[in-house]
Amino acid sequence: MAVNRMFRTCPSSGLVFHEPAEKLMRWNAVVAVVMLLVGGLLAIGVTLTRWQAVHLLPPELFYQVLTAHGLNMLVFWIIFFEMAVLYFAASTLLRCRLATPGMAWLGFWLMVIGALVNNYSVLRGDSSVMFTSYAPMGAHPTFYLGLILFAVGALIACFVFFGTLVVAKNERTYHGSVPLVTFGAITAAIIAVFTIASGAIILIPTFLWSVGLIEHIDSLMYRTVWWAFGHSSQQINVSAHVAVWYAIAAIVFGAKPLSEKVSRTAFLLYILFLQLASAHHLLADPGLTSNWKIFNTSYAMYLAVLASMVHGLTVPGSIEVAQRKKGFTHGLFEWLRKAPWGNPVFSGMFMSLLGFGFLGGISGVMMGTEQLNLIIHNTLYVPGHFHATVVVGTTLAFMSLTYFLIPVLFRRELMFPGLAKWQPYLFGIGMSLFALFMMGAGTLGVPRRHWDISFAGNIFTHEFPGAAWLMMTLMGLSGLVAIVGGGAYLLITVGSVFLGKRIETPGFAHVRAAEGVTREPKPVAVAITSHGGGTGSFAAPGTFVLAMVFLISFVLYYFVNWKYLSTVWPLK
Amino acid sequence: MSAIQPPASRVWWKEPIDRVEIIWVVVALLWCLIMFFMMPYWHIFGEQNLANEAYRTTPEAYSKKAQEVVDKYTVRTETDQKIPVVAPPAGSDVYLIARLWSWWPVLELEAGKSYRIHLMSMDWLHGFSLQPENINIEVHPGYDHVITVTPTRAGTYSIICNEYCGVNHHTMLSKLYVK
Amino acid sequence: MAESTRTANLEDEVPEEPVPVMQQLLDNPFLLLFLGIAMPTVLYIVWGVMEIVGVPVGK
């Protein structure tokens, strides 16, 4: 089969796109956004039902919609987008041809078919088992089959990614080590392989059980192995969105990593330890000992949390250094105040960082503490936490990247630029408040995945405190703001990609390259590129202050919850 | 070189790290270790821990034990469904059954006394959520999960199921009394 | 498709200092892939499954 060696160089960004890779990135990104649209429409149903003043959907439909919402958002939207990110980080950043585009297309179509089959199963009405599909609560066989097909497709795409790394190495399209963003993508891809393998180990037997070929699935075994798939899939997101943060810092500010060594070692800690924390879903379960629980839930002594705290310093730190070089040196925070808050690529990325760290990270580590978990397991606190991590963290970061990709990858002008300026705020702030109020309600005991906390018509009654009901209302309202923000993103994106004004480049042409891509001439004055410094004062003092604020918040919130636990009935 | 380009120097491992960056890493590491050691610390000095006591068993064997306790210690029944209210002696084994979509029986305990509460499901996963105390434990079919609780305050508590278990999940509610 | 002849004219690396072991590890995506799969497989899955299988049977 002839190898396609056609490339184009983007005139605005200087990035070099391999023709097949470009097509794959576009298609994966577009399908991702379609899944986001589906998930977003479903979100309306969920939000307006849990806000019981509206209580929009009847119970059966609510549980069905909630199942579909989880799957389309946590799996389909995010992983399709991540495939585009992987191809970008490999082929585009390494300036090489994508390995075996044919296989990549096979992977893509398997993912599409899998997503359709899985959605079909939920549409049938007999597979409202939530994303987690805990056996022995069973779904229709197509539920598992769809996920398995999707997973196989994603695995193929990951192999194409690794293959592309080999191509780049062999064809010597870059010198030395891969860029940091590519390294972040490698981290994501590694976790993805483990995720998918775990998914296969548990979903294939469960599928066989659903068609009657296996008699019994142990509920504890299922939960333990499933979460190796379920939570690790979210760790793919963490690695990917951190890589996106670095990319945006580079794209918007020309920021340089403070230290390649520190950032890459942090990613290494992710590779080694991030996946262990799936154990935090099993802290309230029988049968597993505290030894296993404590070691795993802590990501091995919280070394992966250390890594996140490192990225939390180095990403904004690199932006601060770049800004200070541009002259924003007045006081501790001029660099931040005068940052381009009107540029949605930046504003979304920075809110993603703050939201993921402060709301998502702190709540997550608290919840993942063996004993503290008892006070919030399966309450609304849990979705509160993960809307902060996956939505304000990952989804908002991906949204920000989209604003860069529309002109650079799709060669379209951004439609509704005024709206685009506000979109990250609508979505980011709305979703952050949504998460916060969910966590508040959860702290007061409100359960997750629950249709009616008033227990109307029940033989027994339970009265949640008034504050809990207030939280639910505020949650509903913020949810609507976030939905509007999400809708704005969809409008802008779909509009621009399909109807936006094409950006014409005079003299544009695809150029056939011989193996590898010719490197641009080396810049002459290399000496100016310094990393950090180590010469006296820290180059990013404002960031250090922010980091300390984060640490203090973390410490306080953490111990407040231990205090809270100590007032609960003694248990042993 | 920025994060989207290869590092400028071939060997970047030896580049010096800013002192304040190192301070942050050390401080963060210390905090991580503190958080890690809090967990075993609480096992030794804290009062709220899971027992790590669990057994594999069958629905029949478990129901039998639950029925024995109900036969011996029922003090009254509640609601039209005549759900037994059980007042077991302190220190004894009490069996709570979770099933689609109810908890059985209802427990009536005494403040300041300890009880070995067993949790198991007859069918699917359920969530034992004791409110407003905020104790949340996972209940499995086939696994007898044992916790020793000491209620501290008298009152009426609710047991809400918070592990989604199908279309009537939200109707799964019971009470727990502490005298 | 193995390509051994190259037509692009890239400057070859000037003989340089040896790459430290840790950097060699970080520069090797396949070694990292192996570690990233082996670690959680053993520490989370295998260890966890062993514990589950070891849950005693009730009397």
Side-chain angles (χ1 to χ4, degrees):
Chain A
M1 194 194 313
V3 173
N4 183 326
R5 296 184 192 282
M6 306 298 285
F7 288 80
R8 73 163 180 97
T9 303
C10 170
S12 51
S13 63
L15 293 168
V16 177
F17 290 99
H18 180 222
E19 195 181 50
E22 187 174 15
K23 197 160 168 219
L24 278 156
M25 283 189 268
R26 290 184 185 191
W27 281 66
N28 275 287
V30 166
V31 173
V33 170
V34 171
M35 301 278 104
L36 182 70
L37 170 64
V38 172
L41 290 170
L42 296 164
I44 299 174
V46 178
T47 308
L48 292 180
T49 305
R50 289 241 51 180
W51 180 13
Q52 294 196 213
V54 181
H55 223 193
L56 185 66
L57 304 174
E60 205 167 331
L61 189 54
F62 168 72
Y63 291 127
Q64 191 181 10
V65 165
L66 185 56
T67 300
H69 170 73
L71 284 157
N72 281 297
M73 295 304 215
L74 287 169
V75 185
F76 305 136
W77 139 250
I78 251 170
I79 295 185
F80 269 111
F81 197 92
E82 276 157 358
M83 297 299 112
V85 170
L86 286 185
Y87 295 145
F88 178 80
S91 170
T92 311
L93 293 186
L94 298 179
R95 306 162 65 81
C96 72
R97 62 180 179 86
L98 192 74
T100 61
M103 291 302 285
W105 281 110
L106 173 63
F108 172 79
W109 286 111
L110 276 174
M111 285 169 70
V112 170
I113 293 169
L116 288 171
V117 168
N118 180 270
N119 268 296
Y120 157 76
S121 78
V122 179
L123 229 97
R124 289 170 52 97
D126 61 1
S127 300
S128 303
V129 290
M130 305 294 149
F131 165 41
T132 45
S133 58
Y134 289 137
M137 179 173 66
H140 190 261
T142 48
F143 180 94
Y144 310 104
L145 186 63
L147 280 175
I148 292 167
L149 289 173
F150 182 86
V152 172
L155 193 62
I156 292 174
C158 289
F159 289 152
V160 170
F161 169 80
F162 283 108
T164 308
L165 297 178
V166 175
V167 166
K169 199 85 205 239
N170 287 349
E171 297 185 3
R172 301 178 92 181
T173 60
Y174 70 99
H175 267 36
S177 306
V178 299
L180 181 60
V181 170
T182 307
F183 192 71
I186 291 173
T187 303
I190 290 172
I191 297 177
V193 173
F194 174 78
T195 299
I196 294 165
S198 306
I201 296 175
I202 194 58
L203 287 174
I204 292 175
T206 309
F207 167 73
L208 294 174
W209 167 73
S210 74
V211 292
L213 289 172
I214 287 184
E215 218 185 283
H216 174 73
I217 301 271
D218 180 275
S219 60
L220 185 58
M221 200 70 86
Y222 180 94
R223 269 170 67 81
T224 305
V225 182
W226 191 91
W227 279 111
F229 156 74
H231 201 96
S232 303
S233 63
Q234 307 315 303
Q235 311 291 27
I236 308 171
N237 300 340
V238 172
S239 312
H241 78 226
V242 172
V244 167
W245 291 346
Y246 281 113
I248 291 179
I251 289 165
V252 175
F253 299 95
K256 304 175 205 323
L258 295 181
S259 161
E260 296 277 357
K261 175 167 162 181
V262 171
S263 293
R264 289 172 196 248
T265 306
F267 277 122
L268 176 67
L269 293 177
Y270 276 359
I271 290 171
L272 297 176
F273 302 121
L274 208 51
Q275 297 147 101
L276 304 181
S278 297
H280 61 228
H281 294 277
L282 290 137
L283 298 177
D285 285 60
L288 293 154
T289 66
S290 289
N291 301 325
W292 180 89
K293 288 176 180 176
I294 291 176
F295 179 80
N296 281 288
T297 197
S298 71
Y299 308 87
M301 301 188 297
Y302 291 111
L303 288 175
V305 172
L306 171 66
S308 287
M309 289 175 76
V310 164
H311 289 307
L313 181 90
T314 57
V315 171
S318 68
I319 294 176
E320 184 175 356
V321 168
Q323 284 285 80
R324 283 179 182 279
K325 280 210 175 73
K326 290 196 182 97
F328 299 109
T329 52
H330 185 72
L332 279 174
F333 295 112
E334 192 194 16
W335 64 276
L336 191 58
R337 282 184 285 112
K338 300 264 176 77
W341 293 102
N343 179 351
V345 180
F346 167 71
S347 63
M349 168 253 162
F350 208 81
M351 274 190 282
S352 156
L353 190 142
L354 291 176
F356 176 76
F358 279 89
L359 293 179
I362 293 179
S363 63
V365 174
M366 186 286 276
M367 289 205 293
T369 305
E370 192 203 3
Q371 297 94 337
L372 296 179
N373 184 268
L374 286 173
I375 52 182
I376 48 72
H377 173 65
N378 274 348
T379 65
L380 209 58
Y381 192 96
V382 177
H385 153 77
F386 69 67
H387 279 78
T389 49
V390 185
V391 190
V392 183
T394 309
T395 296
L396 187 55
F398 288 177
M399 286 175 167
S400 314
L401 189 67
T402 310
Y403 293 118
F404 168 74
L405 291 176
I406 288 172
V408 168
L409 179 67
F410 289 96
R411 302 305 286 151
R412 300 272 185 167
E413 274 180 24
L414 203 64
M415 261 178 118
F416 313 114
L419 181 62
K421 226 167 93 157
W422 287 102
Q423 186 274 327
Y425 295 98
L426 265 177
F427 190 74
I429 295 175
M431 190 56 71
S432 297
L433 290 172
F434 180 75
L436 215 55
F437 293 127
M438 274 188 141
M439 288 195 258
T443 318
L444 296 168
V446 174
R448 65 177 300 204
R449 294 172 165 175
H450 201 274
W451 183 74
D452 180 12
I453 62 168
S454 76
F455 301 102
N458 205 301
I459 40 167
F460 291 115
T461 57
H462 177 79
E463 299 286 331
F464 279 107
W469 286 99
L470 176 63
M471 296 283 176
M472 298 302 281
T473 302
L474 293 171
M475 176 204 84
L477 291 167
S478 337
L480 290 178
V481 172
I483 286 170
V484 170
Y489 169 78
L490 290 164
L491 178 69
I492 296 164
T493 313
V494 174
S496 306
V497 166
F498 292 105
L499 302 169
K501 186 150 157 271
R502 284 185 201 276
I503 300 175
E504 301 299 346
T505 315
F508 166 78
H510 273 104
V511 171
R512 191 174 197 286
E515 61 195 72
V517 177
T518 334
R519 271 197 333 156
E520 283 168 7
K522 257 201 189 122
V524 173
V526 181
I528 298 174
T529 64
S530 61
H531 284 193
T535 52
S537 57
F538 187 45
T543 301
F544 187 73
V545 170
L546 287 176
M548 292 312 289
V549 168
F550 171 78
L551 183 62
I552 292 168
S553 317
F554 200 166
V555 173
L556 285 174
Y557 188 70
Y558 182 77
F559 284 114
V560 156
N561 281 281
W562 278 109
K563 182 77 181 69
Y564 184 17
L565 177 70
S566 71
T567 66
V568 165
W569 293 359
L571 284 177
K572 54 177 193 283
Chain B
M1 300 289 112
S2 73
I4 52 176
Q5 291 164 310
S9 31
R10 176 69 190 97
V11 175
W12 38 264
W13 185 260
K14 296 204 189 134
E15 274 164 16
I17 305 173
D18 190 283
R19 200 174 49 101
V20 177
E21 209 179 336
I22 296 180
I23 290 176
W24 173 248
V25 172
V26 170
V27 167
L29 177 62
L30 276 171
W31 172 236
C32 288
L33 291 173
I34 290 173
M35 289 195 292
F36 177 73
F37 285 107
M38 270 305 292
M39 292 188 280
Y41 169 87
W42 200 258
H43 270 282
I44 302 170
F45 298 105
E47 296 203 303
Q48 293 80 10
N49 290 286
L50 283 184
N52 292 314
E53 186 181 349
Y55 306 97
R56 273 186 213 284
T57 186
T58 63
E60 298 76 33
Y62 189 84
S63 307
K64 191 150 158 284
K65 296 199 176 116
Q67 189 64 53
E68 281 164 12
V69 175
V70 167
D71 291 339
K72 271 213 276 214
Y73 299 114
T74 296
V75 290
R76 63 176 184 281
T77 65
E78 283 195 0
T79 79
D80 298 332
Q81 291 170 22
K82 306 254 183 281
I83 306 171
V85 179
V86 170
S92 67
D93 290 81
V94 193
Y95 294 83
L96 198 54
I97 292 178
R99 58 158 42 98
L100 299 163
W101 287 283
S102 65
W103 301 93
W104 190 93
V106 171
L107 302 179
E108 189 164 86
L109 311 174
E110 275 183 73
K113 303 271 180 5
S114 297
Y115 304 85
R116 284 171 51 86
I117 299 195
H118 295 244
L119 297 168
M120 190 169 113
S121 162
M122 298 286 108
D123 34 48
W124 294 353
L125 285 173
H126 295 283
F128 173 88
S129 180
L130 186 70
Q131 298 297 331
E133 205 54 27
N134 256 335
I135 294 174
N136 300 283
I137 299 174
E138 194 77 9
V139 183
H140 280 257
Y143 289 91
D144 176 352
H145 195 172
V146 188
I147 48 168
T148 303
V149 281
T150 311
T152 51
R153 282 171 287 276
T156 301
Y157 297 81
S158 299
I159 299 175
I160 298 173
C161 178
N162 65 2
E163 181 63 75
Y164 171 70
C165 53
V167 70
N168 284 325
H169 163 59
H170 49 276
T171 67
M172 203 163 151
L173 171 70
S174 186
K175 299 312 257 184
L176 189 147
Y177 302 106
V178 178
K179 297 191 102 86
Chain C
M1 279 188 186
E3 273 118 356
S4 45
T5 54
R6 298 181 35 244
T7 49
N9 196 5
L10 303 168
E11 313 100 65
D12 271 287
E13 291 298 314
V14 175
E16 82 244 16
E17 52 183 321
V19 178
V21 174
M22 272 306 289
Q23 186 176 326
Q24 283 187 48
L25 163 66
L26 289 172
D27 281 344
N28 188 336
F30 293 98
L31 180 51
L32 294 173
L33 176 64
F34 171 74
L35 289 172
I37 294 183
M39 296 278 288
T41 301
V42 170
L43 295 169
Y44 176 88
I45 298 188
V46 170
W47 183 3
V49 168
M50 279 167 57
E51 290 205 340
I52 294 172
V53 164
V55 173
V57 175
K59 297 163 279 325

